[in-house]
Amino acid sequence: MRYRHITLLTLTVGTVTAAAMVGAKMALAAGTDSLRTPARRRPGAAAHSGNGQDRAAFDELLRRQEQAWADKDGAAFAATFTEDADLVTFNGDYLRTQDAIAQGMQYYFDHYIGDTTIRTLDQHVRFVNRHTAIIVRTSCQIQAGESECREGSLSVNTNVLTKKNGVWLQQSFQNTRKTELPRS
């Protein structure tokens, strides 16, 4: 395999995140120069853009994840992931496997995440192939009784989803909290 310069969807100053690297490896395997550049295709070959069932499955996964967050249920949150999935949290913790995601998220729910819900502000879905999709979402947390994003909670997450036996699940998830760079 030859190495190429890769433009990552999420910039993390000083480090390259695991999920972004997974996406970058998929991009190389798919024949792209970057995650934002479509692969060169044979003349007449169409890109896979999914179908209504695929997108409905993505919406259902997101709904389940948002409900698990609202219920503070680490096991239900982890159930949206494959057994060998990984998750990089907003603070850089790296949770490997569905069981570790369940335990780690339950710890966060019990000790750090207050009474909040998740609001998705936008998303971009890109199919790498029929069985792999990358979804980049911007989201925030809404404090109970509030209607606006909680200050400091705006984040961008990269979700790598895989379809096995007709079922879409998250293979990898990486979350980056958005922060202003200091002016130089």
Side-chain angles (χ1 to χ4, degrees):
M1 173 186 285
R2 64 184 171 173
Y3 293 93
R4 301 179 189 189
H5 172 75
I6 300 170
T7 303
L8 299 174
L9 289 173
T10 303
L11 171 66
T12 304
V13 177
T15 62
V16 176
T17 61
M21 288 304 297
V22 169
K25 288 178 185 174
M26 287 180 175
L28 283 175
T32 63
D33 292 327
S34 76
L35 292 178
R36 294 176 189 225
T37 305
R40 291 183 181 94
R41 303 189 197 300
R42 295 183 323 268
H48 181 74
S49 61
N51 60 41
Q53 290 176 326
D54 291 332
R55 292 178 188 269
F58 300 159
D59 291 345
E60 177 60 18
L61 271 178
L62 178 60
R63 187 203 61 73
R64 288 174 46 208
Q65 193 174 43
E66 290 172 340
Q67 187 62 53
W69 184 284
D71 294 341
K72 297 181 177 38
D73 185 341
F77 190 90
T80 66
F81 289 83
T82 62
E83 288 183 19
D84 62 343
D86 54 8
L87 181 148
V88 179
T89 66
F90 76 94
N91 67 327
D93 286 346
Y94 182 23
L95 309 176
R96 298 175 190 97
T97 76
Q98 190 181 62
D99 288 340
I101 292 168
Q103 292 172 14
M105 289 305 296
Q106 193 61 57
Y107 180 80
Y108 291 129
F109 290 139
D110 293 346
H111 299 282
Y112 294 103
I113 298 171
D115 192 9
T116 61
T117 56
I118 298 172
R119 176 181 292 165
T120 300
L121 303 172
D122 66 48
Q123 71 176 2
H124 172 74
V125 178
R126 187 173 73 81
F127 286 86
V128 176
N129 57 44
R130 294 181 338 195
H131 302 287
T132 309
I134 299 171
I135 302 176
V136 178
R137 291 186 178 114
T138 302
S139 61
C140 69
Q141 294 177 25
I142 307 293
Q143 200 72 33
E146 300 291 326
S147 60
E148 299 298 320
C149 293
R150 189 187 78 201
E151 187 174 334
S153 72
L154 190 63
S155 66
V156 176
N157 57 73
T158 303
N159 308 261
V160 179
L161 285 78
T162 56
K163 186 177 186 179
K164 293 180 184 170
N165 300 319
V167 177
W168 285 99
L169 290 172
Q170 294 181 92
Q171 183 72 48
S172 188
F173 176 94
Q174 188 276 323
N175 194 24
T176 301
R177 186 67 49 92
K178 290 189 74 147
T179 58
E180 295 278 332
L181 289 176
R183 295 184 181 227
S184 53

